[in-house]
Amino acid sequence: MKKEFTSSLIKIMKFVIILLMIDFLLGTIAKQIFFSQDTGKFARATHVIEDSEAKVMVFGSSHAHRHYVPKVFEQELQTTCYNAGAEGQQLLFHTALQQMVLKRSKPDLLLLNIDEDFLYSSREAYDRLADLHPYYSDHRDVLKPILEMGSPGIDFKLFFKSFQANSTLIHALRYYASPQLDQKGYRPLYGKVKPSKNLKRFENLEAGDDIDPNFVITLERFIAEAKDYGVPLVFVTSPNLLVTDYTNNESLSKIREIARKEQVLLLDFFNSETFLEQYQLFHDTSHLNNDGAELFTKLVADRIKELQHSK
């Protein structure tokens, strides 16, 4: 009986050892593929986290990614710039990215593009944090508190090295086959919205879902990190094509309240007359095209210069 138990235990140990060896091998291969990417969203994120020394850095969702043109900032502000915007990502991701950047580098200015729904509950905001899994081994101190907000026991889940990058490999292979070029993180949109009778001339945003306390804490953390490292921070909202009433938007009201309390400048372009019903400046009803993005970036740069000169 004792021999059978010992034999079974040895078999289990051998299985576990083989499993760990396979995991290590697959994880090593996956990590090599992941970090060898030259284009695409992961290559941009890796550049921001590990390499960028840009003095102006832009954070935010697709509105950041598509609306801020680094070359315009560089021309207007006479400095370097990188667009760290990430499509589909929200505050949790942007804050993790910011913290990893500030561990290594100290920009002269951080810009966070504010979406009006940033604080509303969103399961996707947590699920999409899987994009950060490949960086967990090297940045556990930053990522663990954020990832655990939506995935308790993250250490156990990411113990297996092959799991850390497995959800990203399809993207990596796709970018190898079809490179996704960018201009210092910015990817322009072309084409123009056509005026239509179906487009409302006025939008009234009703209250959204409940505000997620984690998102409120995360926004406050984003501000605190910038202050702790002595890096100026500016909030910016992107222009709308149509006049929009945000009176009932609790998320945006809370963001404005936090900005006032923490004395963070908020440049509000939501209903800027420069862009309202200027269809030639928009790729779709939510995103500027390249012409609109260059104009918008110029206006933001002008406001930043005014701020710098007033000090």
Side-chain angles (χ1 to χ4, degrees):
M1 187 73 176
K2 186 176 180 180
K3 288 183 178 180
E4 291 179 359
F5 174 77
T6 303
S7 177
S8 298
L9 184 60
I10 292 174
K11 289 179 180 179
I12 292 173
M13 291 177 64
K14 286 181 177 179
F15 174 77
V16 171
I17 291 172
I18 292 172
L19 180 65
L20 292 176
M21 290 176 64
I22 293 174
D23 172 65
F24 178 80
L25 178 61
L26 293 178
T28 301
I29 294 172
K31 194 170 184 178
Q32 180 63 35
I33 293 174
F34 180 85
F35 285 104
S36 65
Q37 296 177 82
D38 293 322
T39 70
K41 65 177 183 178
F42 295 114
R44 291 191 292 272
T46 299
H47 175 72
V48 169
I49 294 167
E50 305 294 349
D51 301 315
S52 179
E53 295 290 345
K55 293 304 181 181
V56 175
M57 298 203 74
V58 180
F59 295 86
S61 65
S62 60
H63 294 116
H65 184 46
R66 301 292 194 171
H67 291 177
Y68 297 81
V69 188
K71 71 175 183 180
V72 175
F73 276 136
E74 293 181 343
Q75 291 167 357
E76 296 296 323
L77 302 178
Q78 294 298 297
T79 189
T80 55
C81 177
Y82 194 86
N83 187 327
E87 290 187 325
Q89 295 291 358
Q90 297 188 38
L91 272 173
L92 296 173
F93 181 93
H94 310 321
T95 301
L97 206 61
Q98 178 219 34
Q99 291 181 14
M100 288 186 283
V101 167
L102 292 179
K103 280 175 54 181
R104 180 189 54 79
S105 177
K106 184 180 178 180
D108 292 336
L109 177 65
L110 301 179
L111 296 178
L112 176 63
N113 186 89
I114 297 293
D115 289 343
E116 70 279 359
D117 59 354
F118 259 174
L119 302 185
Y120 284 140
S121 297
S122 168
R123 186 62 242 174
E124 286 185 344
Y126 293 103
D127 294 341
R128 290 176 178 174
L129 290 177
D131 284 359
L132 295 173
H133 287 175
Y135 306 101
Y136 192 73
S137 295
D138 296 328
H139 300 278
R140 180 178 176 274
D141 58 327
V142 168
L143 295 179
K144 182 179 179 180
I146 292 175
L147 294 180
E148 282 194 330
M149 286 183 177
S151 184
I154 193 67
D155 273 334
F156 176 76
K157 295 176 182 178
L158 295 182
F159 173 78
F160 293 102
K161 304 302 180 185
S162 56
F163 180 76
Q164 293 184 15
N166 68 346
S167 64
T168 66
L169 290 183
I170 293 177
H171 289 280
L173 295 174
R174 185 181 73 184
Y175 295 139
Y176 275 121
S178 180
Q180 189 185 82
L181 303 180
D182 62 78
Q183 302 170 18
K184 296 186 177 180
Y186 165 70
R187 288 197 302 134
L189 291 168
Y190 297 100
K192 302 174 183 178
V193 176
K194 294 182 180 180
S196 169
K197 294 180 180 179
N198 295 326
L199 289 178
K200 299 177 182 178
R201 294 179 62 85
F202 179 85
E203 290 190 2
N204 184 358
L205 291 186
E206 298 298 329
D209 297 326
D210 293 335
I211 287 180
D212 188 326
N214 284 338
F215 298 167
V216 176
I217 292 171
T218 301
L219 181 61
E220 293 172 339
R221 183 72 254 165
F222 195 100
I223 296 170
E225 286 289 319
K227 288 183 177 181
D228 288 346
Y229 282 89
V231 180
L233 170 64
V234 176
F235 289 171
V236 189
T237 62
S238 289
N240 294 321
L241 174 61
L242 305 172
V243 175
T244 305
D245 182 5
Y246 295 99
T247 303
N248 296 322
N249 190 296
E250 296 180 14
S251 169
L252 184 58
S253 295
K254 184 66 176 177
I255 292 170
R256 285 173 168 160
E257 176 189 324
I258 293 172
R260 285 194 298 269
K261 176 184 174 183
E262 300 295 337
Q263 298 183 320
V264 176
L265 178 65
L266 173 67
L267 303 180
D268 189 354
F269 286 87
F270 270 143
N271 289 320
S272 169
E273 293 184 359
T274 303
F275 295 91
L276 289 176
E277 298 190 40
Q278 299 301 308
Y279 295 90
Q280 75 278 7
L281 298 178
F282 285 81
H283 169 77
D284 56 42
T285 56
S286 182
H287 295 93
L288 298 167
N289 59 26
N290 188 61
D291 291 339
E294 290 189 347
L295 174 59
F296 173 57
T297 307
K298 172 68 165 58
L299 293 176
V300 173
D302 288 343
R303 296 289 299 275
I304 292 172
K305 286 190 286 188
E306 290 175 7
L307 176 65
Q308 292 173 337
H309 293 157
S310 66
K311 290 184 177 180

